[in-house]
Amino acid sequence: MQMAGKATTEKKICLALKIKGVVQGVGFRPYVYKLAQECALYGWVRNEGDGVVLEIEGEPDQINLFCRRLVQNPPPLAKIDSVLQTPQPVRNYSQFNIDLSRSRQEKGVLVPPDIATCNGCLAEVRSPGHRYYMYPFTNCTNCGPRFTIIEDIPYDRSSTSMKAFPPCPACLAEYNDPADRRFHAQPIACPSCGPRVQITDSSGAVKAGEKSWLSFFYDKMRRGHIFAVKGLGGYHLACIASEKVVEMIRAKKNRPYKPFAVMCRDLETAARYCRVNDQEAALLASPSSPIVLLEVKPGAPLPKNINPHLSTLGVMLPYTPLHHMLLQGPFDVMILTSANPTDLPIIKDNGEALDRLNDVADYYLVHNRPIVQRCDDSVARVLEGETQLYRRSRGFAPQPIDLPFQAQLTVLGAGAEMKSTFCLIKGNKAYLSQHLGEMGTLEAERFYFESLTSFKHLFDLKVEVIGYDLHPDYHVSSIAKSLPAVKRYGVSHHHAHFASCLGDNGYRGKAIGAVLDGTGYGLDGAVWGFEIISGDALSFTRHFHQKYTPMPGGEAAVRWPWRMALSYLYQCSGEAGLSAGRSLLETHFRHEVDIVCRQLAAGINVVPTSSCGRLFDAAAAAVGVCYQNTYEGQAAIELGEMIDLNDVSKPLDPYPFTIHGKEIDFSPVFPAMLEEAAQGKELALVARRFHDTMIKAITEAIKAASERTGLNTVALSGGTWLNPYLTLKVKRILGEQKMKVLLHRQVPTNDGGVSLGQALIAYKRWKEDVPGSFDEDQ
């Protein structure tokens, strides 16, 4: 591509620029071309393995203007990290070219995430007579697939899964036209040359081709059939929002209560079913387009079995032309949930979908563009105007987190066993993987290695130091120990949570940490989960924790919250507590209750725990809210959603508890809860008083730790902090005490953010040459 002309001034100079950051796949070279044209400059621009390089020649004032505009007003999706300027001899360029990309041994370019369909492309898809009319893979430099189709750097079509689709003359003309929105858009495609959609049955037989697939989809969906839909980063299951069909898909997936996400036609549709404020609307319609948790409107015409026992609903908007087309017909909302079987990675290949979904899907909406990187939907919530990530994946990964230091070598944080991600630190960047899901299966292990290999290749990383979770039975830690490295460090799960929050906020000093979650291996072998600590990324001190409570049956107590209710009653009142527990539970679990009572009395097959998650489980079971966790955190979520967030401003009204030495004892809470429930008090009030008790204990322990250490910065981390009432009220109280509160901003507060903390701790221990909790030489 050339810009004709000639620089004739005698004062002209030549300058080379090397630009690093998110500068490939975001229309950066076309932007540079147009900017050079506007500034009457000549030279060239090209992609290289570590960024974009260019030379510009012309009058000094115009070059200064070019550089200023380049940095101050880059393309909307670009993020410039650095610009290196080097004077060059005058070349006497007579035009400006976009040169062919060059592959360099060094790779440092930042790969952009996938980007939701822009308004320009959507308008074309909806315009009869336009060449992109009703084409499900329409994209431009401002939107479309990026991370999920990339195989290598530099980001060119030949390095993506679009290399299988040579562009037609019309697409090439747009690709080469500087005035066109698709100027150098690598995934450009149209009905003549691009990927195509068809619908098959479970045997793979084609039922509808490119002319009829959409009407076939509408018809079968209205009749209550379930579709497996190949999307951007993997397969979803889709069905209409009908109580009968939702019940059917629940039975087929063996998913009795876990809420489903829905996709709404547009913001107006979402607002018809849910309360949507300005910040939530902006997040729904943002380029990342995550699932956003919204409050369902009372009386909304949606089946209750979409989100059983919950007042919130996960909502997303269409983020590809395909999704827009699916929802422009006879229904304005549909169930859209990940198709993968429980504990297995998201499905990305057509053959794999046919094999794994045969018992669930009636039809398969497939296309022939390969998915290179599996990538599940991201999930978020807006809390007091700030985005809180529950899952960081599509639309965010692999965008790095900026660090306030330059690492001297490459570090891997191996991640957690559940909600797993890994994190690679290089220079001043932390590269978090997409959501990998649950570890423990061969399929999950393959996905882990597949993604880790891809990240190391794309970002030119060779791992030298590894941080991993200390839990002796974690599969992900076994993987970490099998990888070559100069040094490996075992990292406490809760220290990793704490360090993750510090790193997420760019905070390098010492702080207090309130780390609350369900499960984490403690340094004493107990299951930790309610920890008030202080320290930094190097080390930590444990100041307070919940008093250890027996988990009868170990993992069985995680699945059956009523077991923990019995345990707390026994801890508080001994045999009298067990008697109260029998009265409460024997109509539901008579035989099992007798066994658990004997276990607790004899101390057989019980594991000590300070877990906040198990405390929530016990409270939910004690008042009859939830006896079985059919999905992770069910009891805690259902109990938390009983509270009106408008009550955040009300004074605390806690139940009794005690703090003795380092131990916070919540067992007195349970007789008080049972008494109020027996008196007929509203369960919402009982739930709020339980939360207030926790809040009182947390803030008192933090205040004591602050007085002891002199620290007044507090990091809140762990999955429990996804509870909005708890988070907002603790934040408010600590703020009133003039304490600085750090919440996660860029990575999830749950185990999806642990890998960042592991990497930061491992690097700090390597740099300071200290062992920390544990260390290993290769």
Side-chain angles (χ1 to χ4, degrees):
M1 177 54 53
Q2 299 178 349
M3 182 183 73
K6 190 173 180 66
T8 59
T9 176
E10 295 179 0
K11 297 179 181 178
K12 66 185 177 183
I13 61 172
C14 186
L15 190 66
L17 276 66
K18 186 179 185 105
I19 306 162
K20 292 189 175 184
V22 183
V23 291
Q24 293 189 22
V26 292
F28 201 86
R29 288 176 300 168
Y31 173 80
V32 167
Y33 180 96
K34 293 174 184 176
L35 186 57
Q37 189 175 45
E38 292 170 11
C39 295
L41 300 175
Y42 307 96
W44 52 265
V45 61
R46 67 169 173 254
N47 283 341
E48 290 194 352
D50 54 349
V52 168
V53 295
L54 60 102
E55 284 191 6
I56 45 173
E57 188 172 272
E59 295 182 10
D61 287 349
Q62 292 301 105
I63 286 183
N64 289 336
L65 175 63
F66 174 93
C67 293
R68 189 164 60 250
R69 290 177 59 185
L70 182 73
V71 172
Q72 294 178 354
N73 299 292
L77 301 173
K79 182 178 180 292
I80 295 175
D81 287 335
S82 65
V83 179
L84 177 64
Q85 298 184 6
T86 308
Q88 300 293 321
V90 173
R91 317 280 196 192
N92 290 315
Y93 291 120
S94 61
Q95 56 196 12
F96 195 93
N97 298 334
I98 294 182
D99 285 356
L100 293 175
S101 300
R102 291 186 183 179
S103 179
R104 293 172 58 92
Q105 189 171 1
E106 178 192 1
K107 295 180 181 180
V109 72
L110 302 183
V111 178
D114 300 292
I115 304 155
T117 308
C118 71
N119 290 333
C121 285
L122 184 57
E124 292 166 346
V125 171
R126 291 174 171 171
S127 299
H130 199 284
R131 78 186 204 92
Y132 290 109
Y133 178 59
M134 300 296 282
Y135 183 57
F137 304 98
T138 303
N139 66 86
C140 68
T141 56
N142 298 323
C143 69
R146 300 292 191 272
F147 173 62
T148 53
I149 64 169
I150 196 165
E151 298 172 345
D152 203 355
I153 293 295
Y155 175 71
D156 288 314
R157 193 183 189 92
S158 59
S159 298
T160 74
S161 59
M162 286 299 296
K163 65 188 176 186
F165 304 94
C168 65
C171 285
L172 277 175
E174 291 182 354
Y175 181 89
N176 289 317
D177 181 0
D180 196 281
R181 201 176 72 254
R182 295 185 175 87
F183 183 43
H184 278 248
Q186 302 306 325
I188 187 173
C190 74
S192 298
C193 62
R196 300 184 179 186
V197 172
Q198 63 182 19
I199 292 175
T200 75
D201 61 17
S202 57
S203 72
V206 176
K207 307 302 290 185
E210 58 182 313
K211 300 290 187 183
S212 59
W213 68 267
L214 191 55
S215 58
F216 184 95
F217 175 80
Y218 292 155
D219 178 59
K220 297 300 181 183
M221 284 280 283
R222 280 185 298 181
R223 294 173 185 266
H225 292 283
I226 298 168
F227 276 78
V229 178
K230 185 177 182 181
L232 198 58
Y235 270 84
H236 290 95
L237 291 176
C239 67
I240 58 171
S242 144
E243 183 174 357
K244 180 180 178 181
V245 180
V246 170
E247 199 58 42
M248 181 170 62
I249 198 172
R250 286 197 177 282
K252 287 187 173 186
K253 280 184 67 70
N254 191 26
R255 186 171 161 175
Y257 294 109
K258 189 174 182 180
F260 289 127
V262 301
M263 179 175 276
C264 292
R265 178 181 293 162
D266 47 33
L267 278 172
E268 291 74 19
T269 303
R272 188 154 56 249
Y273 299 115
C274 300
R275 293 193 171 102
V276 186
N277 63 33
D278 290 345
Q279 293 93 341
E280 290 163 339
L283 184 58
L284 280 165
S286 68
S288 55
S289 192
I291 296 171
V292 180
L293 295 184
L294 302 174
E295 183 184 353
V296 179
K297 286 182 174 179
L302 287 171
K304 301 297 184 186
N305 60 349
I306 293 179
N307 57 334
H309 312 308
L310 302 181
S311 60
T312 58
L313 179 66
V315 177
M316 58 183 148
L317 299 185
Y319 53 85
T320 70
L322 174 65
H323 293 123
H324 281 283
M325 292 168 64
L326 297 182
L327 282 168
Q328 72 173 17
F331 39 86
D332 61 3
V333 62
M334 64 180 175
I335 308 297
L336 200 68
T337 184
S338 297
N340 49 294
T342 302
D343 296 338
L344 294 182
I346 188 169
I347 296 168
K348 72 179 181 71
D349 298 321
N350 297 345
E352 182 186 7
L354 286 170
D355 289 341
R356 294 196 181 279
L357 302 177
N358 197 272
D359 294 334
V360 182
D362 300 310
Y363 297 101
Y364 298 75
L365 195 161
V366 304
H367 60 76
N368 59 341
R369 183 179 70 197
I371 297 171
V372 179
Q373 312 286 350
R374 302 174 198 259
C375 201
D376 218 327
D377 294 313
S378 295
V379 183
R381 185 173 193 155
V382 176
L383 208 57
E384 288 192 330
E386 298 293 327
T387 298
Q388 185 182 36
L389 288 172
Y390 284 51
R391 181 198 295 161
R392 185 182 186 272
S393 203
R394 176 189 53 76
F396 294 92
Q399 200 98 317
I401 308 299
D402 291 332
L403 300 175
F405 62 88
Q406 284 279 345
Q408 299 169 14
L409 78 178
T410 301
V411 185
L412 169 67
E417 193 78 350
M418 302 181 72
K419 296 180 173 60
S420 188
T421 63
F422 58 76
C423 175
L424 290 154
I425 288 179
K426 179 183 180 182
N428 68 336
K429 304 291 182 189
Y431 301 89
L432 265 77
S433 73
Q434 70 272 43
H435 171 75
L436 303 175
E438 318 308 318
M439 303 304 293
T441 63
L442 290 175
E443 293 86 350
E445 185 172 324
R446 279 197 295 269
F447 181 26
Y448 188 98
F449 278 113
E450 170 189 299
S451 298
L452 181 59
T453 300
S454 177
F455 267 64
K456 290 194 295 183
H457 177 69
L458 288 174
F459 302 114
D460 192 30
L461 304 173
K462 181 180 179 182
V463 174
E464 296 161 278
V465 170
I466 298 175
Y468 64 91
D469 196 288
L470 284 171
H471 198 297
D473 297 327
Y474 273 10
H475 294 85
V476 70
S477 296
S478 297
I479 292 172
K481 294 175 185 178
S482 73
L483 298 172
V486 174
K487 197 81 169 177
R488 301 186 193 90
Y489 296 91
V491 175
S492 160
H493 184 83
H494 298 93
H495 189 197
H497 266 302
F498 173 57
S500 175
C501 189
L502 298 182
D504 196 351
N505 287 273
Y507 187 84
R508 302 189 70 182
K510 290 184 179 294
I512 297 167
V515 185
L516 279 58
D517 66 357
T519 300
Y521 187 76
L523 299 183
D524 57 1
V527 178
W528 289 10
F530 195 116
E531 314 302 319
I532 307 299
I533 64 177
S534 70
D536 54 21
L538 186 63
S539 61
F540 73 98
T541 299
R542 193 185 193 199
H543 295 287
F544 299 96
H545 62 86
Q546 184 189 178
K547 182 180 178 180
Y548 287 149
T549 305
M551 284 175 62
E555 283 298 311
V558 177
R559 183 164 179 81
W560 299 99
W562 61 265
R563 288 172 172 255
M564 290 307 302
L566 270 179
S567 185
Y568 276 97
L569 288 167
Y570 177 67
Q571 182 169 269
C572 179
S573 307
E575 286 296 333
L578 292 182
S579 178
R582 285 192 180 94
S583 300
L584 180 71
L585 298 166
E586 64 182 359
T587 57
H588 303 285
F589 309 100
R590 183 169 187 173
H591 177 65
E592 295 93 331
V593 166
D594 287 340
I595 294 173
V596 171
C597 285
R598 289 197 296 270
Q599 277 185 300
L600 288 168
I604 297 173
N605 192 24
V606 295
V607 179
T609 184
S610 63
S611 164
C612 188
R614 303 295 74 77
L615 175 61
F616 263 98
D617 285 351
V623 294
V625 170
C626 181
Y627 294 122
Q628 179 185 6
N629 280 323
T630 65
Y631 62 89
E632 187 194 3
Q634 178 180 346
I637 292 168
E638 291 183 3
L639 188 69
E641 291 226 351
M642 298 181 73
I643 302 174
D644 186 343
L645 290 185
N646 293 319
D647 290 346
V648 166
S649 59
K650 292 183 177 180
L652 288 176
D653 185 19
Y655 291 118
F657 68 95
T658 62
I659 300 180
H660 294 299
K662 289 187 173 184
E663 293 185 335
I664 306 170
D665 186 0
F666 289 107
S667 62
V669 168
F670 288 85
M673 289 180 68
L674 292 181
E675 183 179 352
E676 287 199 337
Q679 292 172 355
K681 292 285 181 70
E682 288 187 17
L683 287 185
L685 174 62
V686 175
R688 179 162 67 84
R689 292 199 67 195
F690 168 76
H691 281 72
D692 283 353
T693 310
M694 289 185 58
I695 292 163
K696 180 72 171 174
I698 292 164
T699 52
E700 282 192 6
I702 288 172
K703 183 179 179 182
S706 176
E707 291 171 350
R708 190 176 301 172
T709 62
L711 300 170
N712 68 348
T713 299
V714 184
L716 309 182
S717 190
T720 301
W721 294 110
L722 293 175
N723 182 305
Y725 180 81
L726 194 75
T727 301
L728 292 175
K729 202 146 190 172
V730 168
K731 181 184 175 185
R732 178 170 298 189
I733 293 171
L734 294 178
E736 291 169 352
Q737 296 174 0
K738 308 302 181 186
M739 303 197 78
K740 179 180 180 181
V741 178
L742 303 180
L743 298 171
H744 284 271
R745 302 177 301 116
Q746 304 172 86
V747 303
T749 189
N750 57 31
D751 281 4
V754 160
S755 60
L756 172 62
Q758 291 171 337
L760 291 169
I761 292 168
Y763 177 70
K764 186 72 171 177
R765 290 180 181 165
W766 171 85
K767 192 171 187 299
E768 301 293 330
D769 194 23
V770 296
S773 305
F774 289 81
D775 75 332
E776 295 180 7
D777 290 311
Q778 188 178 357

